Every structure is written in structure tokens, then in C-alpha cells.
């Protein structure tokens, strides 16, 4: 029979793993989204930026995968149905909007804002072990920096 403490520890463990799995899935989705946007973009600076973002999200996914394995759990291996649906929606919206770099950037900004808010929410509402907290905090900071960078790229899209 499990003690109350053992049960509580298992619940905490499960909660941490579920939060990491959620973020892992979101990073798979973001990587696919940035890769697709890169293929659709016309501006070379924008293409390079989107490529860096896809690589960053791949690195985030690798880091999260490792944290999940460190907790003796099996990481998810792909993104979400929601992410697939969102990319389909972007395809439809892009074809209507003429698939402009500006439209691509607007979607990137929207996606990055949502990612940053999700990281911030998980960091505030969960009591992660310090090593996991540091990984998530660093990723959230990079996403926030990207948001600031994207705003300057919007000016680039207007130029070309």
C-alpha cells in the first residue's frame, strides 16, 4: 500500500512530466511551423531568421526530450493535431492573403507570443526541480528575445 507521501510524489512527478511533454509537443509544432514559413518566405533575411528559429526549436525539443528521459519517462515523438490544424489554417490564410512575408511574420509573432505565455505560465504555476526550471527559463528568455527581434524584422518585410 502506498503512503500519502509516495502518492503525492508520484502526482508531482506525473505533473512535471506532463508539463514537459506539452512543451516538447509545442516545440515540435513550432519547428515545423518555422520550417514551413521559411519555405514560403521570399525575403532572404526572413528565410535565414526562420531557419534559425526552426533550429532553435529543434534544440529546445532535444533539451526537453533529455529532461523527460532524466525523469525515466518516454518523450513524445511528434507534434500535436492542433499544430497540424494550425499549419493548415495558415496555409489557407496565406493563400488568401497572397502569402506575403508580412503575413508570415504576423503568424510568427502570434505563435511566439503564445509560446512565451505558455512557458511563463508553466514556470509560475509549477514547482519544477531547479535543473528543469533553468532549462525552461532559458528557453522562455530566448523566445522573448525572438519576439523583440521579430518586431524589427517586420520593418524588413515592409522594405522589400
Amino acid at each position: 500500500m502506498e503512503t500519502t507521501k509516495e502518492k503525492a510524489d508520484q502526482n508531482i512527478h506525473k505533473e512535471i512530466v506532463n508539463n514537459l511533454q506539452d512543451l516538447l509537443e509545442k516545440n515540435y509544432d513550432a519547428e515545423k511551423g518555422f520550417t514551413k514559413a521559411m519555405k514560403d518566405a521570399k525575403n532572404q533575411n526572413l528565410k535565414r531568421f526562420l531557419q534559425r528559429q526552426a533550429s532553435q526549436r529543434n534544440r529546445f525539443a532535444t533539451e526537453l526530450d533529455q529532461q523527460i528521459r532524466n525523469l525515466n519517462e518516454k518523450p513524445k515523438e511528434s507534434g500535436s493535431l492542433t499544430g497540424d490544424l494550425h499549419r493548415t489554417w495558415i496555409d489557407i490564410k496565406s493563400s488568401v492573403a497572397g502569402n506575403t512575408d508580412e503575413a508570415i511574420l504576423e503568424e510568427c509573432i502570434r505563435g511566439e507570443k503564445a509560446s512565451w505565455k505558455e512557458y511563463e505560465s508553466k514556470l509560475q504555476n509549477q514547482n519544477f526541480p531547479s535543473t528543469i526550471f533553468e532549462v525552461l527559463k532559458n528557453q522562455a528568455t530566448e523566445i522573448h528575445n525572438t519576439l523583440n527581434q521579430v518586431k524589427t524584422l517586420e520593418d524588413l518585410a515592409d522594405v522589400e
Side-chain angles (χ1 to χ4, degrees):
M1 182 109 175
E2 292 178 12
T3 65
T4 306
K5 179 170 178 6
E6 286 171 334
K7 195 166 249 171
D9 287 348
Q10 283 178 352
N11 287 341
I12 290 167
H13 176 84
K14 191 185 298 184
E15 190 71 22
I16 289 169
V17 170
N18 287 342
N19 279 293
L20 291 174
Q21 296 279 27
D22 283 350
L23 291 173
L24 177 60
E25 198 174 63
K26 296 279 182 343
N27 278 292
Y28 287 143
D29 289 341
E31 180 185 1
K32 283 185 199 166
F34 281 122
T35 300
K36 181 177 182 342
M38 179 192 67
K39 290 176 183 153
D40 293 342
K42 290 153 189 70
N43 179 298
Q44 288 307 308
N45 290 329
L46 180 57
K47 281 183 177 290
R48 282 191 291 279
F49 169 77
L50 295 167
Q51 175 60 53
R52 283 193 308 273
Q53 293 315 116
S55 296
Q56 175 194 65
R57 290 317 185 88
N58 180 282
R59 178 173 50 84
F60 285 3
T62 302
E63 292 170 358
L64 292 168
D65 180 285
Q66 189 56 56
Q67 293 302 320
I68 294 166
R69 289 178 193 282
N70 290 348
L71 294 168
N72 295 318
E73 298 290 343
K74 186 179 185 317
K76 290 184 177 179
E77 294 179 9
S78 66
S80 66
L81 177 60
T82 309
D84 290 339
L85 292 172
H86 181 69
R87 278 186 296 284
T88 302
W89 167 241
I90 291 171
D91 286 346
I92 294 165
K93 198 170 158 186
S94 294
S95 64
V96 171
N99 208 11
T100 65
D101 284 357
E102 190 175 3
I104 291 168
L105 264 176
E106 283 171 13
E107 278 306 310
C108 290
I109 290 171
R110 209 167 63 79
E112 287 300 84
K113 281 181 181 172
S115 288
W116 185 69
K117 283 180 185 166
E118 180 157 8
Y119 269 86
E120 288 297 300
S121 171
K122 287 190 185 311
L123 285 166
Q124 288 171 6
N125 298 325
Q126 296 301 315
N127 194 9
F128 292 105
S130 60
T131 53
I132 294 173
F133 182 86
E134 283 306 309
V135 167
L136 297 181
K137 189 68 184 155
N138 289 339
Q139 290 182 357
T141 300
E142 285 189 58
I143 291 169
H144 194 256
N145 292 342
T146 296
L147 267 171
N148 293 332
Q149 202 179 357
V150 167
K151 288 181 172 69
T152 62
L153 278 174
E154 268 189 310
D155 300 334
L156 263 180
D158 292 338
V159 173
E160 283 192 50

